[in-house]
Amino acid sequence: MLAQAPKVQSLLEWFEKGSIIQGVSINNKGDQLVFVKRLRNGSAVPVKSTAEEKLIENLLTTRGDTSRRLDPVVVHYDIASRRQMLLDYGWAPRFSPNSRRVVYTHQEKPLGNAKVVAGSLRGNDIRIFDLPSKKTAVAVAAPHGFLMEPVFIDSARIIYKTGDAVNGPYAAGISFHRYNLVTKKTELLRGARIQHRLYDLMGDVYGSGDEYAFTVYSPQDSAPGLANEYAHLLMRGNDTLHQFGIRHFSNLDFKFALLPQNRLVYLDDNHLMTEDTSFITYYQSGKLTAKKPVDFEFTKAWLSPDGRFLCYVNNDRETFVVRISDFSKAQLPLSKKEIHSVVWASDGSQVAVVQDHDTLPETDILRLFTVN
């Protein structure tokens, strides 16, 4: 009996002429999105119809300020009504577990035509937007430097990074902190560390509550900018939960799924030779329990957070969703344009894809699909 292929259904398409789309996040109910839109260059003019304008609620406090023309704008999008709220200038928005709040990094300085480097992020703090009241509050101020990429781990706590220049002028996270919204207390989870004259780089946050974890990329040698090799680690505080190996830097985002009872599913696709076999590997408390060879070719791949699905692009630039248990697959109705990001819902029921628009130059398009 043939395995039944995953069912995918298009839920929405969104774009704004001349804008790039970053930092997409899907809420737990699957009925709301937050993302960042930003004009690609100063000469771009967003074009909206009258009908579209009526569906946009602009809460930006500096409307008409041309100095903020190229700044990132945090957008809240209601899928059913197609209504948008422009919340603030900022980066990396994420929902609270109950979808009532959005945490993000506020962009303090107008960027103008400046590149997004560490210097342009100085003073960025962590803010929370309350959706029912439509009010914003500063959660964590930036006493010096800048803060980055906050994430709710439960309704009362967020984890965020402090940032610094790490590769010439370019910015990255160098330490993790946890902030309690009720007690107003901040706890250092992992401090900044320099090895071989280079910072340990902080990656993404996974899990929830006290079962959180985060990735760390620790340099193993010294080189200009980035090290030649990094230890790729999954950690909780100072404890190493998993070691993904020492190699050239490769982003672990959407390469593994952290599951309850210390289980982990990992797409092992880091090879010296492209023709080498990739594997779906399963771990329990750090020990390998199963290993499954991947029987299809891909150039990019993103594992769902629940470990059930994999979205991948093949050599012909076609995009598929495959069920991990039996490798049955369904093709996503996408063009062969460059894909910039793929983001899964936490339960694997939806997947968002950002790629170049089919016909509009210098424009991204966001497409959302349901998967079951």
Side-chain angles (χ1 to χ4, degrees):
M1 183 177 178
L2 294 176
Q4 185 177 8
K7 294 180 180 179
V8 297
Q9 182 177 354
S10 178
L11 202 55
L12 74 85
E13 294 184 354
W14 186 92
F15 66 90
E16 187 174 270
K17 185 178 178 181
S19 291
I20 59 176
I21 301 169
Q22 300 171 298
V24 178
S25 181
I26 306 168
N27 74 330
N28 285 338
K29 296 179 182 178
D31 59 358
Q32 301 172 53
L33 299 174
V34 282
F35 56 88
V36 171
K37 68 172 184 177
R38 185 173 179 234
L39 284 178
R40 194 176 292 271
N41 60 68
S43 62
V45 179
V47 178
K48 302 182 184 72
S49 67
T50 303
E52 288 175 322
E53 289 283 6
K54 291 180 179 179
L55 295 175
I56 299 174
E57 184 175 2
N58 189 345
L59 302 178
L60 301 177
T61 57
T62 53
R63 282 182 254 181
D65 184 351
T66 57
S67 70
R68 309 222 69 154
R69 180 174 174 75
L70 293 179
D71 282 8
V73 175
V74 178
V75 180
H76 173 271
Y77 190 94
D78 183 84
I79 294 173
S81 68
R82 299 298 197 258
R83 295 190 64 86
Q84 302 174 49
M85 274 197 298
L86 311 185
L87 308 186
D88 195 1
Y89 298 104
W91 307 95
R94 299 288 287 270
F95 283 103
S96 63
N98 65 4
S99 304
R100 294 173 61 87
R101 292 177 290 177
V102 176
V103 65
Y104 62 96
T105 306
H106 171 70
Q107 177 59 41
E108 180 66 21
K109 299 177 182 177
L111 292 177
N113 291 312
K115 292 182 178 180
V116 182
V117 294
S120 59
L121 303 179
R122 299 288 176 192
N124 285 6
D125 54 29
I126 304 299
R127 300 194 180 187
I128 293 178
F129 183 89
D130 183 75
L131 289 166
S133 68
K134 299 181 182 179
K135 293 182 178 180
T136 304
V138 176
V140 187
H144 56 81
F146 55 96
L147 308 180
M148 303 176 65
E149 299 175 2
V151 177
F152 277 100
I153 56 170
D154 54 36
S155 60
R157 294 179 294 178
I158 58 174
I159 292 178
Y160 65 91
K161 307 175 194 176
T162 57
D164 202 352
V166 300
N167 179 11
Y170 295 101
I174 60 168
S175 65
F176 275 113
H177 296 257
R178 180 167 53 193
Y179 178 73
N180 191 303
L181 300 170
V182 177
T183 65
K184 311 299 183 185
K185 292 183 178 179
T186 301
E187 176 187 1
L188 178 66
L189 297 179
R190 184 175 176 85
R193 299 184 183 186
I194 294 177
Q195 301 188 81
H196 305 285
R197 296 182 293 178
L198 296 171
Y199 277 119
D200 279 6
L201 302 179
M202 303 299 109
D204 295 297
V205 177
Y206 302 83
S208 60
D210 293 328
E211 299 303 309
Y212 76 90
F214 49 76
T215 48
V216 175
Y217 306 90
S218 183
Q220 302 299 294
D221 53 45
S222 181
L226 294 175
N228 292 307
E229 290 189 323
Y230 284 82
H232 294 61
L233 308 170
L234 181 66
M235 305 193 69
R236 181 176 297 135
N238 292 317
D239 297 329
T240 300
L241 304 181
H242 193 84
Q243 299 187 34
F244 294 97
I246 297 174
R247 55 178 183 269
H248 289 298
F249 178 89
S250 60
N251 196 332
L252 290 168
D253 196 18
F254 289 108
K255 292 294 183 182
F256 69 90
L258 182 63
L259 305 178
Q261 288 82 50
N262 294 318
R263 294 176 296 134
L264 186 140
V265 183
Y266 173 49
L267 172 62
D268 185 1
D269 63 346
N270 195 274
H271 315 299
L272 293 175
M273 305 294 291
T274 56
E275 61 267 23
D276 288 347
T277 302
S278 296
F279 291 89
I280 302 293
T281 52
Y282 297 84
Y283 293 87
Q284 175 76 53
S285 301
K287 295 182 179 180
L288 180 67
T289 59
K291 192 173 183 179
K292 184 176 182 179
V294 175
D295 62 359
F296 49 87
E297 294 183 353
F298 59 90
T299 57
K300 298 179 181 180
W302 301 264
L303 186 67
S304 65
D306 62 351
R308 293 189 299 139
F309 297 106
L310 184 75
C311 179
Y312 74 91
V313 180
N314 66 14
N315 292 325
D316 294 323
R317 304 181 79 174
E318 299 168 324
T319 307
F320 294 85
V321 167
V322 60
R323 183 181 288 110
I324 295 299
S325 61
D326 54 22
F327 286 163
S328 59
K329 63 184 180 181
Q331 185 171 355
L332 294 182
L334 299 173
S335 71
K336 295 186 179 182
K337 294 285 188 175
E338 179 70 19
I339 289 179
H340 301 297
S341 65
V342 170
V343 175
W344 284 95
S346 59
D347 62 357
S349 64
Q350 294 176 327
V351 62
V353 180
V354 176
Q355 65 177 155
D356 288 340
H357 194 280
D358 300 356
T359 58
L360 296 176
E362 298 188 323
T363 301
D364 288 351
I365 183 168
L366 164 64
R367 292 183 169 99
L368 181 68
F369 301 91
T370 57
V371 181
N372 56 57

